Amino acid sequence: MGLNKKSVDDINVKGKRVLVRCDFNVPLKNGEITDETRIVAALPTINKLIKDGGKVILCSHLGKVKNGPNEGESLAPVAKRLSEKLGKEVNFVSDYNVTGEAATAAVAAMNEGDVVLLQNTRFRGADETKNGAEFSKELADLADLYVCDAFGSSHRAHASVEGVTKCITEKGGENAVGYLMQKEIEFLGNAVENPVRPFVAILGGAKVADKLNVINNLLEKCDTLIIGGGMAFTFLKAKGYEIGNSLVDDEKLDYCKEMMAKAEKLGKKLLLPIDTTVADGFPNPIDAEIAVEVVDADKIPADKEGLDIGTKTQELFADAVKSAKTVVWNGPMGVFENPILAKGTIAVAKALAETEATTIIGGGDSAAAVNQLGFADKMSHISTGGGASLEFLEGKELPGVVAADDK
């Protein structure tokens, strides 16, 4: 699926007010940013708009904002870090109303190349999350053009993602995507729709339910589908194996049987763990020292819990990756936050790092794992969107992508 959407290279921004929806939903600890990946990912688009003489107005959400606007979820730390990264002052509008008089005044005072950051869009509550028409219009009133560069939010039809584009169109403006969106869609889109084969997809994580449609869609597209992580135990139980106290979704057993039958019918390889790292129970705290043993996947003791793939499975999965030309990976192989239970995830990451294939990490926990384990620079592309990547891999259309103008 090629991206036939206007990008920042297709619009003339000189002297114009450009509203850019970024994904600055960064992790904070005591008001300090602990991972700036998303800020760094936004820089190419922002720098391009500054260089081309645009008046750059940035907006983003941060956190869930369940209890109303609060300083703990303000974008103030992002403004500070952005100023450092851009080497110029970012004017932060701290007004909880986001688009009120303070924002209007700040935008009116802008010169070409200036940057303003609005307050957390979720401070507007239902207006943001339920595509409030009023908020969409207020955002559009601040700008002449709109750029969406928040892939991580592009699966949500929010005011700052989709609603604003309609208002920009009504006033004769253009809606484009930024470089990050362009890159995400090209990598993920090509991987799924036009992969260089052999194409191997690796799915992990806890629940089968989260990945129902992804499994179904990828089975039709890939040559080999590897399933690890907690979700593998539902497949193993569906095969009639004893899985002890391992995570299982009993309601999805028939679905797993269907998928295994589908793989066979389509002539696709569906690889499941052949051995498992088990323990007496889940580590508490998550990184606590824990006694483990490796057992065959069909011999899990009734009182044990599977928490990672075993050594033979690590080799099996690594071998499957070696001959691949395209690999998509979404979801860890075990409880990777614990050093003892991270071995499966490390083995897969290492196999991807050593292959010549195009390697795409589908956001969320797999992106965190690859970053934490030090393999990030060896991957072709690490997606910035967890839920958005998953929906893309399911074959769904993303509102934030659809809303951009066609070329």
Side-chain angles (χ1 to χ4, degrees), residues 77-406:
V78 173
K80 184 169 167 250
R81 186 65 59 89
L82 255 180
S83 297
E84 292 163 10
K85 294 277 178 200
L86 292 169
K88 67 184 300 163
E89 186 62 30
V90 171
N91 182 9
F92 177 54
V93 181
S94 58
D95 180 7
Y96 285 179
N97 189 48
V98 188
T99 51
E101 287 174 19
T104 307
V107 170
M110 291 177 86
N111 294 312
E112 290 183 10
D114 283 355
V115 182
V116 162
L117 174 64
L118 304 178
Q119 186 53 281
N120 188 341
T121 54
R122 285 203 178 154
F123 283 4
R124 284 294 291 262
D127 259 349
E128 163 61 358
T129 49
K130 295 197 180 121
N131 198 1
E134 190 185 338
F135 187 36
S136 298
K137 184 180 180 307
E138 287 171 22
L139 284 167
D141 284 347
L142 292 173
D144 306 304
L145 306 165
Y146 172 78
V147 172
C148 186
D149 209 25
F151 181 74
S153 301
S154 64
H155 59 312
R156 304 186 192 281
H158 288 176
S160 64
V161 174
E162 185 196 46
V164 63
T165 62
K166 294 167 184 159
C167 302
I168 290 282
T169 301
E170 278 166 18
K171 62 195 275 188
E174 295 173 282
N175 299 290
V177 296
Y179 289 136
L180 177 63
M181 283 280 280
Q182 204 173 1
K183 189 178 170 204
E184 291 275 13
I185 292 154
E186 279 168 9
F187 267 103
L188 287 165
N190 284 334
V192 178
E193 299 302 332
N194 192 23
V196 182
R197 297 187 183 279
F199 172 26
V200 176
I202 307 168
L203 294 177
K207 298 184 192 132
V208 174
D210 293 347
K211 305 218 164 93
L212 289 178
N213 299 329
V214 182
I215 296 168
N216 198 11
N217 193 41
L218 285 178
L219 260 184
E220 291 173 13
K221 314 277 188 188
C222 69
D223 301 297
T224 301
L225 179 61
I226 294 174
I227 291 180
M231 62 192 286
F233 297 107
T234 306
F235 278 88
L236 294 175
K237 186 170 180 180
K239 284 184 81 161
Y241 293 1
E242 164 65 60
I243 58 163
N245 294 324
S246 307
L247 196 65
V248 66
D249 187 344
D250 284 319
E251 289 177 11
K252 299 292 179 279
L253 290 170
D254 285 343
Y255 173 82
C256 291
K257 287 175 188 167
E258 276 171 40
M259 290 302 110
M260 289 188 281
K262 180 173 179 168
E264 199 168 335
K265 186 175 164 220
L266 294 174
K268 306 294 175 80
K269 270 191 197 161
L270 176 65
L271 298 182
L272 295 167
I274 50 175
D275 62 348
T276 304
T277 301
V278 299
D280 290 335
F282 202 84
N284 183 20
I286 201 162
D287 56 355
E289 189 82 15
I290 187 170
V292 298
E293 59 179 311
V294 178
V295 298
D296 286 347
D298 58 350
K299 295 188 177 64
I300 298 174
D303 61 344
K304 298 280 187 186
E305 182 176 356
L307 297 169
D308 191 14
I309 56 173
T311 41
K312 286 189 283 194
T313 305
Q314 290 169 25
E315 283 175 32
L316 174 74
F317 289 2
D319 275 348
V321 166
K322 275 177 190 158
S323 59
K325 291 280 188 285
T326 306
V327 186
V328 171
W329 176 22
N330 188 293
M333 296 293 103
V335 187
F336 76 95
E337 300 90 343
N338 185 304
I340 299 159
L341 302 169
K343 289 175 182 162
T345 302
I346 290 170
V348 168
K350 194 164 177 294
L352 263 66
E354 289 169 0
T355 179
E356 296 293 304
T358 298
T359 49
I360 299 155
I361 313 302
D365 280 345
S366 12
V370 166
N371 281 318
Q372 278 173 32
L373 302 169
F375 290 103
D377 59 337
K378 302 282 195 301
M379 304 301 160
S380 310
H381 179 64
I382 299 175
S383 179
T384 53
S389 315
L390 268 183
E391 292 198 11
F392 208 82
L393 294 174
E394 279 176 36
K396 283 187 183 173
E397 288 196 321
L398 307 182
V401 178
V402 175
D405 298 344
D406 292 332

